[in-house]
Amino acid sequence: MGIVNPATQVLYSDIPDDVLTAIDDVLLNRTPRGGSEISATERLIEIAARIKEEKDAEKEALKNGGVLSKSSADDWRNGTVEERLKHALVKGVGDYLEVDLDEATKLYDNPVKIIEGPLMDAMNTVGELFGSGKMFLPQVVKTARTMKKAVGILQPLIEASRSEGAQKAGKVLLATVKGDVHDIGIVSVILACNNYEIIDLGVMVPTETIVDKAIEEKVDIIGLSGLITPSLEEMVNVARALEERGANIPIMIGGATTSELHTALKIAPVYHGPVLWMKDASQNVIASARLLNPATRAELTDELDKKYAELRSEQSDEKSGMVSLEEARQRKPKYFE
């Protein structure tokens, strides 16, 4: 079984092709049968020995006072400020944020545009990598912390640029549901930068706490997040509890394990209010604005109802074509003849 060390700053896509092929051959049991070609295990051992020799040579050169060529690991510092910020967030490197953000403020007339531009571009890349299995959850959390650090640096500038007495765009309650300890926090950053008042309850928040606080504070929107599978059922519990309390507060759903299909099949049917699935954090501002405008809210609700009905119908059609258990067993893949 492959063990991944998330503390390393290596993405799946960064692994050299020859090393990646050798690792995949071992994990997927792609050992040649017969012939003169060496086995996958032997090839991986050879590559490991070669890498060890290279590392040992570097250590010996340093020990003897030799000078090694500048590591290509720092080449990213030669890129544009946008490229550097993207690299920093994707890799979770916060060492140069103050320098790079200071440079970015000279190129952008508003600090919020830095967040909505290069920083969000980087987070979208992270989402794509995570979704395709090329980045792992601990690395995503590390990226989120780097994003928070970047926003913390820009926050004084954002506050200074706001007009005195400016009216809040709306009040949003955010929570990572019970059973989930992952706090990504990007949504709160984006909404706060767009003048929304944020009530962030943090992680591992029980259903009762979410519902009670939302009603007590008379919030305009509830945002629920989760990055592990059990979170999906907890989101259903929150929607069901809101329905029982007679609430009509829109719910925005987000997180790695969530999907539009799950929202349509499991969450929306138990709650009469609007329930929106957010593909990424950048969509929340647009969705929130539509929800808080009476005219566009009705339009959005109709769109959601039609879309979710289509998804439920498609799912029902797929299920109608299911085969019997006996036939499914007969169709099982045969790895070895």
Side-chain angles (χ1 to χ4, degrees), residues 124-321:
N124 290 336
T125 298
V126 170
E128 292 169 4
L129 290 170
F130 182 73
S132 60
K134 296 179 180 179
M135 180 179 274
F136 303 95
L137 185 56
Q139 292 170 315
V140 175
V141 173
K142 187 176 181 181
T143 292
R145 289 172 181 163
T146 308
M147 175 69 165
K148 282 187 174 182
K149 182 177 179 180
V151 172
I153 295 171
L154 293 172
Q155 195 64 41
L157 298 175
I158 295 171
E159 294 295 337
S161 65
R162 285 178 180 161
S163 302
E164 283 291 331
Q167 186 176 359
K168 291 292 183 182
K171 185 186 291 189
V172 181
L173 181 144
L174 300 175
T176 300
V177 295
K178 185 177 71 173
D180 199 327
V181 299
H182 300 103
D183 178 18
I184 299 303
I186 303 305
V187 174
S188 63
V189 168
I190 299 300
L191 289 174
C193 289
N194 283 273
N195 210 31
Y196 284 86
E197 180 182 348
I198 305 299
I199 301 174
D200 193 342
L201 299 183
V203 303
M204 295 282 289
V205 186
T207 292
E208 297 78 11
T209 302
I210 295 172
V211 175
D212 289 345
K213 194 69 173 178
I215 294 174
E216 175 190 338
E217 293 287 342
K218 299 180 180 178
V219 301
D220 299 302
I221 299 171
I222 297 172
L224 303 178
S225 68
L227 270 76
I228 57 177
T229 306
S231 302
L232 298 175
E233 188 59 32
E234 283 302 321
M235 292 178 182
V236 177
N237 293 339
V238 173
R240 189 177 288 116
L242 286 167
E243 181 72 17
E244 292 172 355
R245 295 283 292 273
N248 191 35
I249 307 169
I251 304 174
M252 296 194 298
I253 302 293
T257 56
T258 63
S259 68
E260 188 174 39
L261 182 59
H262 178 268
T263 303
L265 294 177
K266 299 294 184 180
I267 304 178
V270 302
Y271 186 55
H272 74 280
V275 183
L276 293 79
W277 174 67
M278 300 286 98
K279 183 178 181 181
D280 56 62
S282 62
Q283 296 181 337
N284 284 274
V285 174
I286 299 172
S288 297
R290 292 188 69 186
L291 285 170
L292 297 185
N293 183 317
T296 54
R297 173 168 172 163
E299 180 184 10
L300 178 58
T301 301
D302 289 340
E303 291 175 9
L304 290 171
D305 289 343
K306 291 177 182 177
K307 179 63 176 178
Y308 292 163
E310 290 175 4
L311 289 172
R312 287 191 284 267
S313 176
E314 291 171 2
Q315 187 71 7
S316 177
D317 291 342
E318 288 180 10
K319 285 185 176 181
S320 65

